[in-house]
Amino acid sequence: KAGVTQTPRYLIKTRGQQVTLSCSPISGHRSVSWYQQTPGQGLQFLFEYFSETQRNKGNFPGRFSGRQFSNSRSEMNVSTLELGDSALYLCASSLDPEGAYYGYTFGSGTRLTVV
Amino acid sequence: DQQVKQNSPSLSVQEGRISILNCDYTNSMFDYFLWYKKYPAEGPTFLISISSIKDKNEDGRFTVFLNKSAKHLSLHIVPSQPGDSAVYFCAASDGGSQGNLIFGKGTKLSVKP
């Protein structure tokens, strides 16, 4: 079956712009989480959605937002981009909100570069 | 305040030998621990997990040990192979309170032929 699909794979944006990243989870998975990976910081949790509801949010400014659609696809948006937002953004899906027990499946990520 | 710590940013091991990757945590509410492996330009891949009610879980060449009293877990890879060279992330979950995985910063493993 198809894995977690993230689009686009690479993106270059200018400071001050906004960006929308997309994630299609594995079919049947209703939980989608987003993570930011930067050098030296590991994976930092952004937010998690289950059945179109945000269940948890990490410690990121309000410029970072997301949503989930009825088909479980998810988008995340970053407004007023800053240079420090340059990172690999990873989406992960799981069968249920307690994804730990089934192991989240990650997509390959979207590499965002802010110039 | 890091709840999951991987204090070794890198580790180099000879092919055929044992690789031991360590992870410490601070939150006693964590009840499930996972290890992920990540190659460049790819998302992390789930490797192995362990519930807090166990102290060992084995899957082929990979074994995870959990010492709850020390709040420490380790991943053993025996024997190590060059294809194991990747960044390994330790992650923890408290089963719903935070609803997500807390990751360490990763350890880059290099297995030399």
Side-chain angles (χ1 to χ4, degrees), chain A:
Chain A
K1 58 182 177 182
V4 178
T5 305
Q6 290 188 248
T7 57
R9 285 298 307 274
Y10 302 93
L11 205 50
I12 299 176
K13 289 286 189 179
T14 306
R15 269 184 303 174
Q17 286 187 310
Q18 75 159 12
V19 67
T20 299
L21 311 181
S22 180
C23 171
S24 293
I26 289 174
S27 177
H29 285 193
R30 293 192 295 161
S31 172
V32 174
S33 297
W34 288 88
Y35 288 83
Q36 181 197 65
Q37 186 188 11
T38 53
Q41 289 299 315
L43 282 78
Q44 294 184 283
F45 172 71
L46 280 156
F47 23 67
E48 178 191 4
Y49 289 88
F50 180 76
S51 293
E52 302 178 68
T53 300
Q54 186 180 91
R55 292 185 72 244
N56 285 288
K57 186 171 170 26
N59 191 24
F60 277 80
R63 301 185 297 106
F64 291 81
S65 63
R67 58 178 176 169
Q68 187 181 32
F69 303 95
S70 58
N71 61 358
S72 294
R73 192 176 71 84
S74 178
E75 288 181 347
M76 70 162 279
N77 184 277
V78 188
S79 62
T80 321
L81 283 165
E82 300 177 0
L83 294 178
D85 296 333
S86 295
L88 179 67
Y89 290 88
L90 291 159
C91 168
S93 75
S94 179
L95 277 171
D96 69 19
E98 296 179 14
Y101 301 99
Y102 293 95
Y104 283 107
T105 301
F106 282 84
S108 296
T110 294
R111 171 70 65 184
L112 171 65
T113 301
V114 181
V115 297

Side-chain angles (χ1 to χ4, degrees), chain B:
Chain B
D1 179 29
Q2 266 193 286
Q3 296 187 66
V4 178
K5 298 178 185 179
Q6 294 177 258
N7 292 318
S8 299
S10 63
L11 175 67
S12 184
V13 170
Q14 206 65 33
E15 181 179 5
R17 298 290 186 97
I18 183 172
S19 295
I20 300 176
L21 298 113
N22 294 303
C23 178
D24 297 295
Y25 63 95
T26 58
N27 188 344
S28 58
M29 297 302 292
F30 287 145
D31 66 349
Y32 213 75
F33 303 89
L34 304 89
W35 284 93
Y36 280 82
K37 173 180 174 180
K38 186 179 183 300
Y39 293 116
E42 294 183 15
T45 304
F46 171 71
L47 258 182
I48 190 170
S49 62
I50 187 168
S51 164
S52 60
I53 62 173
K54 296 186 175 181
D55 55 18
K56 178 182 173 181
N57 188 25
E58 196 170 349
D59 184 2
R61 297 185 298 115
F62 303 91
T63 303
V64 56
F65 294 92
L66 175 63
N67 182 333
K68 282 188 68 178
S69 60
K71 294 191 176 68
H72 176 84
L73 65 155
S74 61
L75 173 68
H76 292 211
I77 306 174
V78 184
S80 301
Q81 300 173 354
D84 296 329
S85 297
V87 177
Y88 288 78
F89 291 97
C90 169
S93 169
D94 61 5
S97 169
Q98 297 186 66
N100 56 272
L101 296 179
I102 307 296
F103 282 85
K105 292 188 177 181
T107 297
K108 184 175 182 180
L109 174 66
S110 299
V111 180
K112 310 287 186 189

